[in-house]
Amino acid sequence: MLGVPITVLATVGMQTIGTSRLVSAAGTTANLLFGALALALFNRAGRRTNWTLFLWLFAAFNLMNSGYFVFSALAQSGDWTAVISGLHPTWAWRCLLGVAGITLYSVSVRWLARSVGRLVQANELSLSELRCLILCAYVSGGAILTAASALNPFSPKLILISGIGASYAISWGLLLVPSHVRVRVGVAAGIPLPGGSTVATSLSISWVGAAILVGFIFVAVFGPGIRFHQ
């Protein structure tokens, strides 16, 4: 990948032979690109469906990884510390990284709120449903990532950094989205906000089954890592 052979690929990262700025930057860059693409597709969708809500959540968790810039700037650890390693003055690059992270994170939260806000404004999704959707995804997603990180083959400290930290800490901005939606829709539309559900929320056996299967593979297979023989 990018000219650097991979020896181990796990949920918390990958081990390579040699170092590369491109490899270190690839993870977060891919998160932002795929997150932006998913949100663009969500915005093109005309109505609420299970697929459109999946696209929004997929976009949200990917875009929230922009917080990783701030982590690398403050902790002097992680992939983006490797990206700016050797660049001088170091303090200036760290500041640039931190400012970029804060800016992208703030823009992402507002973009997510504006996108899902149109469903609330159209009475296709209530604020209470939105809060439930986000909270369930935030808690369950963090639990799965933390469980997978507990099996990582690299270091126990990655359970805190790349498990709990990369899930609950970096994604906390999702919890701010309902408040942004309430302000945006309430002020922009000038109408009472929907308090109850206007579209019945139903559990799909196929979606639940797919989620359990993907979660199991993520934890059991990618948690301990996939080893590539040279």
Side-chain angles (χ1 to χ4, degrees):
M1 181 179 183
L2 302 178
V4 180
I6 302 172
T7 58
V8 181
L9 177 64
T11 60
V12 298
M14 62 185 181
Q15 187 177 68
T16 62
I17 297 176
T19 59
S20 168
R21 296 185 198 274
L22 289 177
V23 171
S24 297
T28 312
T29 302
N31 286 143
L32 297 179
L33 289 177
F34 281 104
L37 176 60
L39 198 55
L41 291 174
F42 171 81
N43 288 333
R44 289 177 62 87
R47 54 188 294 270
R48 162 190 164 160
T49 65
N50 286 336
W51 275 107
T52 55
L53 293 181
F54 168 78
L55 276 175
W56 187 83
L57 286 174
F58 181 82
F61 280 100
N62 274 281
L63 292 174
M64 289 297 93
N65 273 302
S66 56
Y68 196 51
F69 293 122
V70 181
F71 168 78
S72 289
L74 294 177
Q76 298 188 64
S77 177
D79 291 339
W80 285 89
T81 298
V83 172
I84 65 174
S85 176
L87 301 178
H88 300 285
T90 303
W91 65 267
W93 282 97
R94 287 178 60 196
C95 287
L96 179 61
L97 200 59
V99 170
I102 292 172
T103 301
L104 286 172
Y105 200 86
S106 177
V107 169
S108 294
V109 171
R110 293 178 184 277
W111 190 17
L112 289 165
R114 183 170 65 250
S115 296
V116 78
R118 66 183 177 80
L119 294 184
V120 176
Q121 189 171 3
N123 285 350
E124 291 193 34
L125 184 71
S126 70
L127 279 174
S128 59
E129 284 183 302
L130 178 61
R131 291 191 188 97
C132 181
L133 178 71
I134 290 175
L135 186 59
C136 288
Y138 177 78
V139 172
S140 59
I144 290 174
L145 185 54
T146 301
S149 69
L151 302 176
N152 88 84
F154 305 124
S155 170
K157 71 178 182 179
L158 292 179
I159 300 174
L160 178 62
I161 298 174
S162 299
I164 299 173
S167 56
Y168 293 118
I170 286 183
S171 298
W172 71 272
L174 281 178
L175 303 178
L176 303 178
V177 169
S179 297
H180 281 276
V181 171
R182 170 175 283 278
V183 171
R184 176 176 295 276
V185 176
V187 172
I191 58 176
L193 294 173
S197 174
T198 56
V199 179
T201 302
S202 60
L203 288 177
S204 166
I205 295 178
S206 58
W207 276 91
V208 172
I212 293 174
L213 177 61
V214 172
F216 176 79
I217 294 174
F218 185 78
V219 174
V221 178
F222 289 96
I226 299 177
R227 299 182 181 275
F228 298 88
H229 298 287
Q230 299 300 313

